[in-house]
Amino acid sequence: MAQRVRGVIAPGKNEPVRVETIIVPDPGPGEAVVKIQACGVCHTDLHYKQGGINDDFPFLLGHEAAGVVESVGEGVTEVAPGDFVVLNWRAVCGQCRACLRGRPQYCFNTHNAKQKMTLEDGTELSPALGIGAFAEKTLVAAGQCTKVDPAAKPEVAGLLGCGVMAGIGAAINTGGVTRGDSVAVIGCGGVGDAAIMGSRLAGARKIIAVDIDPRKLAKAVELGATHTVNSRETDAVEAIRELTEGNGADVVIEAVGRPETYEQAFYARDLAGTVVLVGVPTPDMKIELPLQEVFGRGGSLKSSWYGDCLPSRDFPMLVDLHLQGRLALDAFVSETISLDDIEAAFEKMHHGEVLRSVVIL
Ligand code: APR
Ligand code: ZN
Ligand code: ZN
Protein backbone atom coordinates (compact mmCIF):
# COMPACT_ATOMS: atom_id res chain seq x y z
CA MET A 1 0.00 0.00 0.00
CA ALA A 2 1.27 3.50 -0.84
CA GLN A 3 2.78 5.27 2.15
CA ARG A 4 2.61 8.86 3.38
CA VAL A 5 5.94 10.30 4.52
CA ARG A 6 7.47 13.73 5.15
CA GLY A 7 9.66 15.14 2.39
CA VAL A 8 11.19 18.45 1.31
CA ILE A 9 10.00 19.93 -1.95
CA ALA A 10 11.02 22.92 -4.04
CA PRO A 11 7.59 24.18 -5.17
CA GLY A 12 8.67 26.72 -7.79
CA LYS A 13 11.60 28.78 -9.05
CA ASN A 14 13.39 30.49 -6.14
CA GLU A 15 10.51 29.78 -3.76
CA PRO A 16 11.56 28.61 -0.30
CA VAL A 17 11.58 24.85 0.12
CA ARG A 18 8.99 23.30 2.42
CA VAL A 19 8.18 20.06 4.15
CA GLU A 20 5.15 18.32 2.66
CA THR A 21 3.43 14.96 2.83
CA ILE A 22 4.72 12.75 0.02
CA ILE A 23 2.95 9.67 -1.30
CA VAL A 24 5.43 6.86 -1.94
CA PRO A 25 3.99 3.98 -4.02
CA ASP A 26 4.88 0.36 -3.37
CA PRO A 27 7.85 -0.70 -5.47
CA GLY A 28 6.96 -2.01 -8.92
CA PRO A 29 9.12 -4.35 -11.01
CA GLY A 30 12.79 -3.39 -10.69
CA GLU A 31 12.11 -0.79 -7.99
CA ALA A 32 12.87 -0.44 -4.27
CA VAL A 33 11.58 1.68 -1.41
CA VAL A 34 14.39 2.88 0.84
CA LYS A 35 14.01 4.21 4.37
CA ILE A 36 16.39 7.18 4.35
CA GLN A 37 18.71 7.57 7.34
CA ALA A 38 20.86 10.49 6.20
CA CYS A 39 21.09 12.81 3.19
CA GLY A 40 23.66 15.55 2.51
CA VAL A 41 22.78 19.00 1.18
CA CYS A 42 24.49 19.50 -2.21
CA HIS A 43 24.81 22.51 -4.54
CA THR A 44 22.77 20.64 -7.08
CA ASP A 45 19.76 20.73 -4.73
CA LEU A 46 20.09 24.50 -4.60
CA HIS A 47 20.41 24.63 -8.41
CA TYR A 48 17.15 22.68 -8.70
CA LYS A 49 15.42 25.13 -6.38
CA GLN A 50 16.75 28.08 -8.39
CA GLY A 51 15.44 26.58 -11.62
CA GLY A 52 19.00 26.14 -12.90
CA ILE A 53 18.58 22.49 -13.91
CA ASN A 54 15.13 22.41 -15.51
CA ASP A 55 11.57 23.60 -14.93
CA ASP A 56 10.01 20.33 -13.81
CA PHE A 57 8.73 21.75 -10.52
CA PRO A 58 7.86 20.63 -7.92
CA PHE A 59 11.10 18.83 -7.12
CA LEU A 60 11.58 16.38 -4.28
CA LEU A 61 15.09 17.43 -3.26
CA GLY A 62 17.98 15.42 -1.79
CA HIS A 63 20.29 12.90 -3.44
CA GLU A 64 23.41 12.19 -1.31
CA ALA A 65 21.85 9.55 0.83
CA ALA A 66 22.16 6.31 2.71
CA GLY A 67 19.45 4.18 4.22
CA VAL A 68 17.93 0.75 4.55
CA VAL A 69 15.95 -1.04 1.85
CA GLU A 70 12.39 -1.49 3.10
CA SER A 71 10.77 -3.37 0.23
CA VAL A 72 11.59 -4.40 -3.32
CA GLY A 73 9.45 -5.02 -6.39
CA GLU A 74 9.18 -7.99 -8.69
CA GLY A 75 12.38 -9.31 -10.20
CA VAL A 76 14.76 -7.40 -7.91
CA THR A 77 17.75 -9.54 -7.03
CA GLU A 78 20.57 -7.05 -6.40
CA VAL A 79 19.25 -5.86 -3.02
CA ALA A 80 16.84 -7.17 -0.38
CA PRO A 81 14.85 -5.63 2.48
CA GLY A 82 17.19 -4.82 5.37
CA ASP A 83 20.24 -4.06 3.23
CA PHE A 84 22.18 -0.90 4.12
CA VAL A 85 22.65 1.01 0.89
CA VAL A 86 24.09 4.20 -0.55
CA LEU A 87 21.90 5.68 -3.30
CA ASN A 88 23.46 6.52 -6.65
CA TRP A 89 22.40 8.36 -9.79
CA ARG A 90 24.22 6.00 -12.10
CA ALA A 91 22.14 2.81 -12.23
CA VAL A 92 23.79 1.28 -15.27
CA CYS A 93 21.71 -0.36 -18.00
CA GLY A 94 24.08 -3.09 -19.15
CA GLN A 95 22.81 -2.69 -22.74
CA CYS A 96 23.97 0.65 -24.13
CA ARG A 97 27.08 1.01 -26.29
CA ALA A 98 29.21 2.12 -23.31
CA CYS A 99 28.07 -0.80 -21.15
CA LEU A 100 28.54 -3.29 -23.98
CA ARG A 101 32.12 -2.12 -24.47
CA GLY A 102 32.83 -2.85 -20.82
CA ARG A 103 32.74 0.79 -19.72
CA PRO A 104 29.62 0.90 -17.55
CA GLN A 105 30.95 3.93 -15.67
CA TYR A 106 30.03 5.91 -18.80
CA CYS A 107 26.57 4.27 -19.19
CA PHE A 108 24.53 6.47 -21.54
CA ASN A 109 21.17 5.06 -20.44
CA THR A 110 21.04 5.12 -16.65
CA HIS A 111 17.61 4.64 -15.13
CA ASN A 112 15.38 5.64 -12.22
CA ALA A 113 12.09 4.40 -10.76
CA LYS A 114 9.29 4.23 -13.35
CA GLN A 115 6.46 5.12 -10.96
CA LYS A 116 6.06 8.66 -9.67
CA MET A 117 5.95 9.88 -6.09
CA THR A 118 3.27 12.55 -5.64
CA LEU A 119 1.87 15.16 -3.31
CA GLU A 120 -1.41 14.36 -1.55
CA ASP A 121 -3.38 16.09 -4.31
CA GLY A 122 -1.80 13.80 -6.90
CA THR A 123 0.74 16.32 -8.27
CA GLU A 124 3.69 14.33 -9.61
CA LEU A 125 7.10 15.10 -8.11
CA SER A 126 10.44 15.25 -9.92
CA PRO A 127 13.02 13.63 -7.61
CA ALA A 128 16.40 15.40 -7.67
CA LEU A 129 18.80 13.34 -9.81
CA GLY A 130 16.13 10.63 -9.84
CA ILE A 131 16.53 10.09 -6.10
CA GLY A 132 14.58 12.54 -3.90
CA ALA A 133 16.00 11.64 -0.50
CA PHE A 134 15.11 14.58 1.72
CA ALA A 135 12.24 12.33 2.72
CA GLU A 136 11.62 9.63 5.28
CA LYS A 137 11.30 7.13 2.42
CA THR A 138 11.91 7.28 -1.29
CA LEU A 139 11.22 5.15 -4.36
CA VAL A 140 14.18 4.40 -6.65
CA ALA A 141 15.28 1.86 -9.25
CA ALA A 142 16.88 -1.10 -7.47
CA GLY A 143 20.08 -0.41 -9.44
CA GLN A 144 20.32 2.93 -7.66
CA CYS A 145 20.91 1.09 -4.37
CA THR A 146 24.48 0.03 -3.67
CA LYS A 147 24.96 -2.26 -0.69
CA VAL A 148 27.83 -1.27 1.62
CA ASP A 149 29.11 -2.36 5.04
CA PRO A 150 26.45 -1.34 7.61
CA ALA A 151 29.20 -0.55 10.13
CA ALA A 152 29.59 2.84 8.41
CA LYS A 153 27.56 5.75 9.77
CA PRO A 154 24.76 6.73 7.35
CA GLU A 155 25.71 10.43 7.38
CA VAL A 156 29.20 9.49 6.22
CA ALA A 157 28.38 6.71 3.76
CA GLY A 158 25.66 8.78 2.07
CA LEU A 159 28.16 11.43 1.01
CA LEU A 160 29.67 8.95 -1.41
CA GLY A 161 26.43 9.22 -3.37
CA CYS A 162 27.47 12.51 -4.98
CA GLY A 163 30.04 15.25 -4.26
CA VAL A 164 32.61 13.28 -2.32
CA MET A 165 32.59 10.51 -4.94
CA ALA A 166 32.92 13.14 -7.67
CA GLY A 167 36.08 14.51 -6.04
CA ILE A 168 37.72 11.23 -5.07
CA GLY A 169 36.90 9.81 -8.50
CA ALA A 170 38.21 12.90 -10.30
CA ALA A 171 41.60 12.16 -8.76
CA ILE A 172 41.69 8.37 -8.80
CA ASN A 173 39.45 7.33 -11.71
CA THR A 174 39.67 10.23 -14.15
CA GLY A 175 43.04 11.74 -13.27
CA GLY A 176 44.69 8.38 -12.66
CA VAL A 177 46.67 9.88 -9.77
CA THR A 178 49.23 7.39 -8.62
CA ARG A 179 52.16 6.91 -6.23
CA GLY A 180 54.66 9.75 -6.42
CA ASP A 181 52.53 12.16 -8.45
CA SER A 182 52.33 15.86 -7.88
CA VAL A 183 48.73 17.07 -7.87
CA ALA A 184 47.23 20.55 -7.75
CA VAL A 185 43.58 21.00 -6.81
CA ILE A 186 42.00 24.33 -7.72
CA GLY A 187 38.93 25.05 -5.59
CA CYS A 188 38.78 23.41 -2.18
CA GLY A 189 35.08 23.02 -1.45
CA GLY A 190 33.59 19.60 -0.82
CA VAL A 191 34.56 18.34 -4.27
CA GLY A 192 38.11 19.70 -4.27
CA ASP A 193 38.72 18.47 -0.73
CA ALA A 194 37.57 15.01 -1.75
CA ALA A 195 40.01 15.17 -4.67
CA ILE A 196 42.75 16.00 -2.16
CA MET A 197 41.75 13.04 -0.03
CA GLY A 198 41.65 10.78 -3.08
CA SER A 199 45.09 11.96 -4.21
CA ARG A 200 46.50 11.23 -0.81
CA LEU A 201 44.93 7.77 -0.81
CA ALA A 202 46.46 7.11 -4.24
CA GLY A 203 49.95 7.98 -2.99
CA ALA A 204 50.50 11.47 -4.40
CA ARG A 205 53.73 12.93 -3.05
CA LYS A 206 52.83 16.57 -3.38
CA ILE A 207 49.27 17.87 -3.10
CA ILE A 208 48.87 21.60 -3.72
CA ALA A 209 45.59 23.15 -2.60
CA VAL A 210 44.54 26.36 -4.39
CA ASP A 211 41.66 28.54 -3.23
CA ILE A 212 40.79 32.21 -2.70
CA ASP A 213 39.45 31.58 0.81
CA PRO A 214 42.00 31.01 3.61
CA ARG A 215 39.44 29.00 5.64
CA LYS A 216 39.24 26.53 2.77
CA LEU A 217 43.01 26.23 2.57
CA ALA A 218 43.27 25.46 6.29
CA LYS A 219 40.71 22.69 5.93
CA ALA A 220 42.50 21.34 2.84
CA VAL A 221 45.67 20.90 4.89
CA GLU A 222 43.72 18.91 7.49
CA LEU A 223 42.56 16.61 4.70
CA GLY A 224 45.98 15.97 3.21
CA ALA A 225 47.22 18.97 1.20
CA THR A 226 50.98 19.34 1.53
CA HIS A 227 51.09 22.93 0.20
CA THR A 228 48.61 25.76 -0.18
CA VAL A 229 48.27 28.68 -2.59
CA ASN A 230 45.96 31.61 -1.96
CA SER A 231 45.19 32.55 -5.55
CA ARG A 232 43.63 35.85 -4.53
CA GLU A 233 47.08 36.95 -3.34
CA THR A 234 49.42 34.96 -5.58
CA ASP A 235 49.48 33.90 -9.21
CA ALA A 236 48.29 30.30 -9.03
CA VAL A 237 50.19 29.10 -12.10
CA GLU A 238 53.50 30.62 -10.97
CA ALA A 239 53.04 29.28 -7.44
CA ILE A 240 52.28 25.73 -8.63
CA ARG A 241 55.29 25.79 -10.96
CA GLU A 242 57.54 26.99 -8.16
CA LEU A 243 56.36 24.18 -5.93
CA THR A 244 57.10 21.62 -8.67
CA GLU A 245 60.69 22.53 -9.61
CA GLY A 246 59.43 24.84 -12.33
CA ASN A 247 57.59 22.07 -14.17
CA GLY A 248 53.94 22.13 -13.18
CA ALA A 249 51.93 19.35 -11.59
CA ASP A 250 51.40 15.89 -13.07
CA VAL A 251 47.66 16.18 -12.51
CA VAL A 252 45.68 19.40 -12.03
CA ILE A 253 42.09 19.08 -10.88
CA GLU A 254 39.75 22.00 -11.54
CA ALA A 255 36.96 21.89 -8.94
CA VAL A 256 35.42 25.33 -9.41
CA GLY A 257 33.92 25.24 -12.91
CA ARG A 258 35.03 28.62 -14.30
CA PRO A 259 37.03 29.62 -17.40
CA GLU A 260 39.75 31.45 -15.43
CA THR A 261 40.40 28.52 -13.13
CA TYR A 262 40.36 26.10 -16.06
CA GLU A 263 42.98 28.25 -17.74
CA GLN A 264 45.09 28.14 -14.58
CA ALA A 265 44.76 24.37 -14.56
CA PHE A 266 45.80 24.20 -18.20
CA TYR A 267 49.00 26.18 -17.66
CA ALA A 268 49.84 24.73 -14.24
CA ARG A 269 50.32 21.15 -15.43
CA ASP A 270 53.61 19.58 -16.45
CA LEU A 271 54.30 18.45 -20.01
CA ALA A 272 52.29 15.30 -20.70
CA GLY A 273 50.28 16.05 -17.58
CA THR A 274 46.55 15.71 -17.10
CA VAL A 275 43.88 18.32 -16.45
CA VAL A 276 40.63 17.08 -14.94
CA LEU A 277 37.58 19.35 -15.04
CA VAL A 278 35.16 18.27 -12.28
CA GLY A 279 33.74 21.74 -11.54
CA VAL A 280 30.52 22.28 -13.46
CA PRO A 281 30.43 25.30 -15.82
CA THR A 282 27.29 27.23 -16.84
CA PRO A 283 26.07 27.55 -20.45
CA ASP A 284 27.43 31.10 -20.89
CA MET A 285 31.07 30.18 -20.18
CA LYS A 286 33.68 30.04 -22.94
CA ILE A 287 37.41 29.50 -23.08
CA GLU A 288 40.05 30.32 -25.67
CA LEU A 289 43.41 28.54 -25.69
CA PRO A 290 46.30 28.65 -28.16
CA LEU A 291 45.90 25.42 -30.10
CA GLN A 292 49.65 25.08 -30.37
CA GLU A 293 49.86 24.93 -26.57
CA VAL A 294 47.13 22.30 -26.48
CA PHE A 295 49.16 20.21 -28.92
CA GLY A 296 52.64 21.04 -27.70
CA ARG A 297 52.04 20.19 -24.07
CA GLY A 298 50.75 16.74 -24.86
CA GLY A 299 49.03 14.82 -22.10
CA SER A 300 45.30 14.94 -21.67
CA LEU A 301 42.45 17.27 -20.93
CA LYS A 302 39.61 15.32 -19.33
CA SER A 303 36.21 15.90 -17.78
CA SER A 304 34.92 13.93 -14.86
CA TRP A 305 31.22 13.31 -14.35
CA TYR A 306 30.45 11.84 -10.95
CA GLY A 307 34.14 10.98 -10.67
CA ASP A 308 33.75 8.41 -13.47
CA CYS A 309 32.54 6.16 -10.69
CA LEU A 310 30.95 2.77 -10.97
CA PRO A 311 28.89 2.69 -7.77
CA SER A 312 28.96 -1.11 -7.41
CA ARG A 313 32.75 -1.07 -7.65
CA ASP A 314 33.61 2.16 -5.81
CA PHE A 315 31.10 2.67 -2.98
CA PRO A 316 31.75 -0.57 -1.05
CA MET A 317 35.51 -0.20 -1.56
CA LEU A 318 35.60 3.38 -0.27
CA VAL A 319 33.38 2.50 2.70
CA ASP A 320 35.77 -0.33 3.58
CA LEU A 321 38.81 1.95 3.34
CA HIS A 322 36.97 4.44 5.54
CA LEU A 323 36.20 1.77 8.14
CA GLN A 324 39.87 0.80 8.13
CA GLY A 325 40.78 4.39 9.00
CA ARG A 326 42.34 5.14 5.62
CA LEU A 327 39.77 7.64 4.37
CA ALA A 328 38.55 10.25 6.84
CA LEU A 329 35.13 10.77 5.27
CA ASP A 330 33.74 12.07 8.58
CA ALA A 331 35.69 15.27 7.97
CA PHE A 332 33.11 16.29 5.36
CA VAL A 333 30.21 16.33 7.80
CA SER A 334 30.19 19.90 9.10
CA GLU A 335 26.83 19.61 10.87
CA THR A 336 23.84 17.33 11.15
CA ILE A 337 20.41 18.91 10.76
CA SER A 338 16.73 17.96 10.38
CA LEU A 339 14.38 18.10 7.39
CA ASP A 340 13.16 21.50 8.60
CA ASP A 341 16.60 23.14 8.37
CA ILE A 342 17.34 22.90 4.66
CA GLU A 343 16.79 26.56 3.78
CA ALA A 344 19.26 27.51 6.51
CA ALA A 345 21.73 24.94 5.18
CA PHE A 346 21.52 26.45 1.68
CA GLU A 347 22.36 29.79 3.22
CA LYS A 348 25.44 28.41 5.02
CA MET A 349 26.56 26.63 1.87
CA HIS A 350 26.22 29.86 -0.07
CA HIS A 351 28.50 31.64 2.41
CA GLY A 352 31.11 28.89 2.32
CA GLU A 353 30.60 28.11 5.99
CA VAL A 354 30.18 24.35 5.63
CA LEU A 355 31.55 21.46 3.60
CA ARG A 356 28.38 19.47 4.08
CA SER A 357 25.25 19.85 6.17
CA VAL A 358 23.70 16.41 6.48
CA VAL A 359 20.05 15.77 7.26
CA ILE A 360 19.53 12.95 9.72
CA LEU A 361 16.17 11.21 9.66
N1 APR B 1 39.92 30.34 -7.61
C1 APR B 1 40.09 29.39 -6.67
N2 APR B 1 39.11 28.90 -5.91
C2 APR B 1 37.87 29.42 -6.09
C3 APR B 1 37.61 30.41 -7.06
C4 APR B 1 38.70 30.88 -7.84
N3 APR B 1 38.54 31.82 -8.77
N4 APR B 1 36.30 30.70 -7.00
C5 APR B 1 35.76 29.93 -6.04
N5 APR B 1 36.72 29.16 -5.48
C6 APR B 1 36.59 28.18 -4.41
C7 APR B 1 35.65 28.57 -3.30
O1 APR B 1 36.30 29.40 -2.34
C8 APR B 1 35.27 27.20 -2.72
O2 APR B 1 36.17 26.79 -1.71
O3 APR B 1 36.05 27.00 -4.96
C9 APR B 1 35.40 26.28 -3.91
C10 APR B 1 34.06 25.80 -4.44
O4 APR B 1 33.53 25.00 -3.46
P1 APR B 1 31.99 24.80 -3.19
O5 APR B 1 31.26 26.04 -3.54
O6 APR B 1 31.84 24.20 -1.85
O7 APR B 1 31.57 23.74 -4.32
P2 APR B 1 31.79 22.16 -4.36
O8 APR B 1 30.64 21.47 -3.75
O9 APR B 1 33.15 21.79 -3.92
O10 APR B 1 31.68 21.96 -5.94
C11 APR B 1 32.66 22.52 -6.80
O11 APR B 1 32.10 21.03 -8.57
O12 APR B 1 30.35 19.55 -8.67
C12 APR B 1 30.80 20.80 -9.02
O13 APR B 1 28.78 22.10 -9.19
C13 APR B 1 29.95 21.90 -8.45
O14 APR B 1 30.95 23.47 -9.88
C14 APR B 1 30.90 23.03 -8.55
C15 APR B 1 32.24 22.38 -8.22
ZN1 ZN C 1 24.47 1.42 -20.19
ZN1 ZN D 1 25.12 16.38 -5.52
Side-chain angles (χ1 to χ4, degrees), residues 5-72:
V5 303
R6 294 175 79 228
V8 174
I9 66 152
K13 191 168 175 164
N14 283 323
E15 286 175 39
V17 302
R18 59 173 189 253
V19 178
E20 289 268 358
T21 299
I22 311 293
I23 312 294
V24 182
D26 281 341
E31 295 175 341
V33 168
V34 178
K35 194 166 182 294
I36 302 299
Q37 294 176 311
C39 182
V41 182
C42 173
H43 281 82
T44 304
D45 295 306
L46 181 58
H47 292 160
Y48 272 112
K49 173 190 137 156
Q50 294 168 333
I53 310 255
N54 59 50
D55 282 328
D56 299 338
F57 290 98
F59 294 106
L60 175 59
L61 298 179
H63 60 274
E64 292 188 354
V68 174
V69 176
E70 182 185 74
S71 55
V72 298

Side-chain angles (χ1 to χ4, degrees), residues 28-34 76 78-79 87-88 91 110-114 130-131 138-146:
E31 295 175 341
V33 168
V34 178
V76 171
E78 54 268 71
V79 284
L87 299 183
N88 74 73
T110 57
H111 55 285
N112 305 124
K114 297 242 164 22
I131 293 181
T138 193
L139 175 78
V140 291
Q144 291 182 269
C145 302
T146 309

Side-chain angles (χ1 to χ4, degrees), residues 42-44 47 163 166 186-193 210-213 216 231-232 254-258 260-261 264 278-281 349 352 354-356:
C42 173
H43 281 82
T44 304
H47 292 160
I186 304 180
C188 302
V191 174
D193 277 348
V210 182
D211 205 291
I212 49 176
D213 182 342
K216 298 303 176 98
S231 56
R232 181 161 274 154
E254 202 279 13
V256 183
R258 298 194 54 80
E260 60 272 26
T261 38
Q264 289 168 355
V278 63
V280 181
M349 191 169 77
V354 290
L355 274 184
R356 275 296 184 270

Side-chain angles (χ1 to χ4, degrees), residues 62-339:
H63 60 274
E64 292 188 354
V68 174
V69 176
E70 182 185 74
S71 55
V72 298
E74 205 187 305
V76 171
T77 52
E78 54 268 71
V79 284
D83 284 349
F84 177 59
V85 295
V86 174
L87 299 183
N88 74 73
W89 40 274
R90 185 170 278 159
V92 300
C93 76
Q95 312 288 330
C96 73
R97 60 197 190 282
C99 284
L100 292 175
R101 293 182 74 192
R103 301 170 177 175
Q105 69 275 26
Y106 302 130
C107 179
F108 301 136
N109 194 22
T110 57
H111 55 285
N112 305 124
K114 297 242 164 22
Q115 298 182 86
K116 289 287 188 183
M117 292 179 276
T118 64
L119 295 175
E120 281 184 298
D121 66 3
T123 307
E124 289 189 352
L125 294 167
S126 308
L129 292 173
I131 293 181
F134 287 149
E136 291 160 330
K137 294 176 187 178
T138 193
L139 175 78
V140 291
Q144 291 182 269
C145 302
T146 309
K147 204 172 156 178
V148 301
D149 190 330
K153 285 186 277 182
E155 62 271 33
V156 170
L159 297 184
L160 289 171
C162 187
V164 170
M165 184 67 246
I168 294 177
I172 295 181
N173 294 333
T174 316
V177 172
T178 187
R179 215 161 50 247
D181 276 351
S182 56
V183 180
V185 177
I186 304 180
C188 302
V191 174
D193 277 348
I196 288 171
M197 203 176 264
S199 300
R200 179 180 178 174
L201 183 71
R205 182 163 57 146
K206 201 168 271 182
I207 305 172
I208 304 165
V210 182
D211 205 291
I212 49 176
D213 182 342
R215 294 173 302 173
K216 298 303 176 98
L217 293 172
K219 184 76 184 178
V221 169
E222 271 175 44
L223 299 183
T226 58
H227 299 78
T228 61
V229 173
N230 182 331
S231 56
R232 181 161 274 154
E233 293 166 355
T234 326
D235 183 282
V237 176
E238 283 306 312
I240 293 168
R241 284 212 187 121
E242 252 168 52
L243 288 166
T244 51
E245 290 78 47
N247 300 319
D250 297 312
V251 181
V252 185
I253 297 167
E254 202 279 13
V256 183
R258 298 194 54 80
E260 60 272 26
T261 38
Y262 188 83
E263 195 168 342
Q264 289 168 355
F266 180 80
Y267 287 109
R269 80 192 161 121
D270 197 357
L271 294 173
T274 302
V275 169
V276 177
L277 176 64
V278 63
V280 181
T282 54
D284 53 300
M285 294 176 177
K286 294 216 163 37
I287 184 153
E288 198 174 312
L289 290 168
L291 194 54
Q292 197 180 30
E293 291 283 342
V294 175
F295 176 75
R297 285 164 179 266
S300 48
L301 307 177
K302 302 176 95 176
S303 318
S304 186
W305 293 12
Y306 206 177
D308 286 340
C309 78
L310 183 58
S312 59
R313 175 194 66 193
D314 296 335
F315 292 2
M317 181 258 298
L318 293 170
V319 165
D320 287 352
L321 294 180
H322 165 66
L323 290 172
Q324 292 164 17
R326 295 154 75 185
L327 199 61
L329 295 174
D330 342 34
F332 290 95
V333 183
S334 313
E335 60 168 3
T336 53
I337 60 173
S338 84
L339 277 184

